[in-house]
Amino acid sequence: MNIKKAGVVLYTMLSTIKVNLIGQLWLNEVLVLAAAPFTFKPGDLKTYPYLKKILAALVMLLVFQVITDLLVVHSTPQDYLRGWAGTIIAMVSFVVLFKMLNETDAILLFLFMTMIKNIIYTDDIVDSEMSFFKFKIVPIITSALYLVLYYLYKKGEMKLVMTMLIGCSVLCIAFDSRSTGVIFFLGATIIYFMNNKVQISRQKIIVFAVLAAIIFQVCYIFYVKSVLNNEIGGEHAHTQISRLSNPYNPLELLMTGRAETFAAGAAIADKPLFGHGSWAKDESLKYYMILLMYHDEELNIQAARETNHLVPSHSVLMGAWVNWGLGGFIAVTYLFLVLMKMGFYIIRNGQELALYPVLVLMTLGLIWTFLFSPFQQLRLLIPGISAIILNTYYGLLEEAEAEAEEEQAHYELQMQ
């Protein structure tokens, strides 16, 4: 095993161990900090302009963190050092993982070791039947599915690829992991259309959107009826849907399921320009009460004050705005757009890649993560996926340039 593959193994397996250093860091983050001086080359910023843009976005975020924490809200050193450390670690992780995950074998090993890590390690958040499937089983299924899709797609087994994706989509939705199920279904749709070279026009987009909306609503009605009849889903899904005034309105389900996002909107409205600061606490419980309102739960003041509640967001994009204001939001949005530009380029042009289904799902997963996942994913999940997308993007560019040079040389020979 070479150094690169050993690094992949260590990075994934050490992500289960925490150390106390400027708050709590995962041991794999200490690893990337130690590896950074031997990995980063200043010339990389010129060779890979999108890597430079990613780092520029994170530096911009760090600047707005410093402004908000020190000059506006006067956060405590314990809070602002933890906030800044997260951004710095994200920067270093982007660089190290970009160099580490630059070969297909390394990416496959990363996916395999992630699956093994998820099998061995169980997060504290897994404390019920619902959370066990969603936070324990689904990550294992996802990593295993990535590996299976790679081998099936490489062999040209498109029917099996579609079967696996749709099957896993139905399984996840049935067991109350709706977001993952939707990502698998959308991924199957995109892979099918892009591999069949469907010509996209405005008229086709409108027709497809209308049909998709109708099919979605019909399927959603059957889903709700099945959950209310205790045929699929768990107790959590039944409780969620039962408390809705109109359970057949998917927007109501989104609102109760992602109530933190709506509470974040109230927090942004209170401090739109500079935000509430790193690790800002909901001292008045104002935003916590908004969460309870969306969850249709009563407030127990005594129990609520026994725990420190942070100002909620449960969104990387909105979390940046909640904590560090409009500037933080602009910085993270810029990062998101850079990643999406590369991801969409791969979706349009990467059908010949054996990893194509994996890359499609990763791009869709990044969209969901930026919109609806905790801000901490900026340092934990996003760098690894982004490194894979970044390397693939530049690999496709090199292939396109090589083909263009061959065509030019062939043309010149014909002209002689």
Side-chain angles (χ1 to χ4, degrees):
M1 182 179 291
N2 60 30
I3 295 177
K4 186 182 297 182
K5 290 183 178 179
V8 171
V9 173
L10 287 173
Y11 179 83
T12 51
M13 299 309 294
L14 294 180
S15 65
T16 64
I17 304 171
K18 289 182 180 179
V19 293
N20 291 317
L21 182 64
I22 315 179
Q24 285 190 328
L25 300 181
W26 295 100
L27 200 54
N28 65 335
E29 295 174 334
V30 178
L31 175 68
V32 297
L33 289 172
F38 307 100
T39 305
F40 177 71
K41 297 178 181 178
D44 291 338
L45 300 181
K46 183 177 181 181
T47 306
Y48 307 106
Y50 276 107
L51 177 62
K52 181 179 179 180
K53 291 180 179 181
I54 288 171
L55 296 180
L58 292 172
V59 169
M60 190 190 317
L61 172 63
L62 184 60
V63 168
F64 286 113
Q65 287 179 306
V66 172
I67 292 172
T68 294
D69 289 331
L70 294 185
L71 304 180
V72 181
V73 302
H74 307 290
S75 302
T76 65
Q78 180 183 9
D79 288 337
Y80 68 66
L81 287 176
R82 285 193 295 171
W84 302 355
T87 304
I88 293 170
I89 289 169
M91 282 190 278
V92 176
S93 297
F94 270 102
V95 172
V96 173
L97 291 175
F98 174 61
K99 289 302 189 71
M100 190 182 293
L101 300 174
N102 60 355
E103 296 175 356
T104 300
D105 287 346
I107 294 171
L108 294 175
L109 179 61
F110 176 74
L111 297 176
F112 176 75
M113 293 308 303
T114 300
M115 180 182 68
I116 298 300
K117 181 261 294 185
N118 288 326
I119 292 172
I120 296 172
Y121 174 76
T122 301
D123 198 280
D124 294 337
I125 197 173
V126 178
D127 57 4
S128 67
E129 182 181 345
M130 183 280 295
S131 63
F132 181 81
F133 182 82
K134 186 172 183 178
F135 299 110
K136 175 69 176 181
I137 302 301
V138 168
I140 297 171
I141 290 175
T142 301
S143 298
L145 180 63
Y146 285 168
L147 293 170
V148 172
L149 290 177
Y150 165 78
Y151 287 108
L152 291 178
Y153 192 83
K154 186 178 180 180
K155 292 181 179 180
E157 300 287 351
M158 277 298 298
K159 291 182 179 179
L160 287 177
V161 168
M162 294 295 107
T163 301
M164 291 295 300
L165 282 168
I166 299 300
C168 288
S169 174
V170 172
L171 176 68
C172 289
I173 292 173
F175 284 90
D176 206 16
S177 183
R178 294 182 295 261
S179 57
T180 304
V182 170
I183 288 172
F184 289 162
F185 181 79
L186 290 177
T189 304
I190 291 171
I191 292 166
Y192 175 81
F193 278 115
M194 297 307 295
N195 273 275
N196 285 278
K197 308 296 182 183
V198 176
Q199 296 297 319
I200 299 175
S201 64
R202 182 180 300 179
Q203 183 178 5
K204 286 182 179 179
I205 291 174
I206 294 173
V207 172
F208 178 77
V210 172
L211 289 175
I214 294 172
I215 293 171
F216 170 80
Q217 187 61 42
V218 171
C219 292
Y220 180 73
I221 290 172
F222 280 106
Y223 168 77
V224 170
K225 286 183 177 180
S226 299
V227 171
L228 293 177
N229 291 331
N230 294 311
E231 295 172 356
I232 63 172
E235 182 181 346
H236 177 263
H238 187 274
T239 302
Q240 253 189 358
I241 291 177
S242 296
R243 67 178 175 233
L244 301 178
S245 58
N246 179 11
Y248 298 104
N249 181 356
L251 292 178
E252 283 196 32
L253 180 60
L254 178 63
M255 290 173 68
T256 191
R258 287 293 179 265
E260 294 89 347
T261 304
F262 296 94
I268 289 170
D270 288 340
K271 294 186 177 182
L273 293 181
F274 295 103
H276 296 258
S278 297
W279 292 86
K281 295 177 179 59
D282 185 8
E283 302 288 356
S284 67
L285 299 179
K286 173 182 177 180
Y287 310 113
Y288 179 66
M289 286 189 283
I290 293 174
L291 286 180
L292 295 181
M293 178 187 70
Y294 279 104
H295 290 162
D296 195 24
E297 298 177 26
E298 295 183 0
L299 174 64
N300 184 330
I301 295 285
Q302 182 177 355
R305 292 202 179 279
E306 290 176 356
T307 306
N308 284 329
H309 294 275
L310 300 179
V311 178
S313 63
H314 216 277
S315 165
V316 175
L317 289 170
M318 295 190 73
W321 201 341
V322 165
N323 290 301
W324 305 292
L326 182 59
F329 174 73
I330 291 172
V332 175
T333 300
Y334 178 66
L335 171 64
F336 174 63
L337 294 176
V338 168
L339 294 175
M340 288 302 100
K341 186 172 182 179
M342 291 186 292
F344 292 153
Y345 179 88
I346 293 169
I347 289 174
R348 290 194 307 269
N349 302 285
Q351 292 84 8
E352 301 302 320
L353 299 172
L355 276 169
Y356 183 71
V358 177
L359 295 162
V360 170
L361 294 176
M362 285 183 169
T363 301
L364 294 175
L366 273 183
I367 295 173
W368 184 266
T369 299
F370 271 93
L371 292 178
F372 296 117
S373 292
F375 188 82
Q376 292 301 307
Q377 297 293 4
L378 183 64
R379 59 185 266 210
L380 299 176
L381 175 68
I382 292 174
I385 296 175
S386 300
I388 294 171
I389 289 176
L390 188 61
N391 274 305
T392 305
Y393 172 78
Y394 279 108
L396 283 175
L397 283 188
E398 289 178 5
E399 288 182 8
E401 290 174 359
E403 289 178 3
E405 290 177 359
E406 286 184 10
E407 289 180 2
Q408 181 64 28
H410 181 68
Y411 174 77
E412 291 175 354
L413 285 174
Q414 287 184 326
M415 296 296 293
Q416 289 177 357

